Amino acid sequence: KIFKETCEIKWTSTEGVYNFIRGLSPYPAAWTTLHTQDGKEVVMKIFKSRKETALTDVKEPTLQTDNKTYLRVALPDGYLYLTEVQISGKKRMQIEDFLRGARTEGWAL
């Protein structure tokens, strides 16, 4: 059986997380907790993503965005671009639509 706790993303490798998201989409969906600048925690379900293999200089998973077209997680072995997400209490949307209305400055994993 799949329980809610087993659907939480453990940010280890780009390939592993990418396959984890694909395997749980659309239901029950993989999720992660984001920490906002003012100390709140926001649960985000991730339905679709795409991966980019590259060598990065990050040690810990890092959230990166241009606040217009992409939201990505930098991992030691590459980038995972989040393309379809849902914040708790909101509807499922494409990342461009999400970034149009969200204030993501200071968010972290």
Side-chain angles (χ1 to χ4, degrees):
K1 280 189 159 187
I2 299 175
F3 297 101
K4 181 181 180 193
E5 296 81 30
T6 59
C7 297
E8 183 174 9
I9 299 172
K10 293 165 185 61
W11 298 100
T12 53
S13 70
T14 306
E15 183 75 27
V17 174
Y18 173 74
N19 289 331
F20 187 74
I21 292 169
R22 284 188 323 136
L24 291 173
S25 184
Y27 183 80
W31 62 275
T32 190
T33 303
L34 302 176
H35 304 279
T36 63
Q37 196 169 11
D38 57 356
K40 295 181 183 175
E41 290 187 347
V42 177
V43 174
M44 175 187 278
K45 286 185 179 180
I46 303 169
F47 294 96
K48 291 184 182 175
S49 65
R50 67 180 172 84
K51 62 184 175 175
E52 179 182 313
T53 306
L55 291 176
T56 63
D57 57 352
V58 297
K59 303 285 186 240
E60 297 287 323
T62 307
L63 203 59
Q64 300 175 341
T65 184
D66 67 350
N67 290 318
K68 292 184 184 200
T69 57
Y70 73 86
L71 180 64
R72 69 182 180 188
V73 178
L75 296 164
D77 64 339
Y79 299 101
L80 191 73
Y81 288 83
L82 311 181
T83 56
E84 194 170 324
V85 299
Q86 180 181 8
I87 292 289
S88 56
K90 303 292 182 181
K91 66 179 187 172
R92 181 175 168 175
M93 59 186 81
Q94 297 295 320
I95 200 64
E96 293 86 4
D97 298 329
F98 171 75
L99 290 173
R100 232 178 260 125
R103 300 197 188 283
T104 57
E105 296 87 22
W107 285 21
L109 291 171

